[in-house]
Amino acid sequence: MCSGAFNYKEKGKYKVRFSLMDICGNENNTWTTWVEFDSPFEEY
């Protein structure tokens, strides 16, 4: 879960938003709202 296109620090807060695309490559130029999350390495 902590691998792939992103490099996370051991501690930190992140935010992400998305612009959707269908399987044919048609884009929806509307962005979602920001979603905030803690580093996936942090333990609760």
Side-chain angles (χ1 to χ4, degrees), residues 13-43:
K13 294 200 177 285
Y14 297 89
K15 60 183 183 176
V16 65
R17 66 182 182 164
F18 300 95
S19 176
L20 303 178
M21 178 186 304
D22 69 14
I23 196 167
C24 296
N26 298 312
E27 295 182 32
N28 176 349
N29 292 321
T30 303
W31 288 89
T32 64
T33 58
W34 287 101
V35 176
E36 295 185 20
F37 63 97
D38 294 328
S39 171
F41 292 105
E42 289 187 28
E43 294 183 27

Side-chain angles (χ1 to χ4, degrees), residues 2-3 7-11 14 38-43:
C2 296
S3 64
N7 294 316
Y8 297 105
K9 294 182 181 178
E10 191 169 323
K11 292 188 182 266
Y14 297 89
D38 294 328
S39 171
F41 292 105
E42 289 187 28
E43 294 183 27

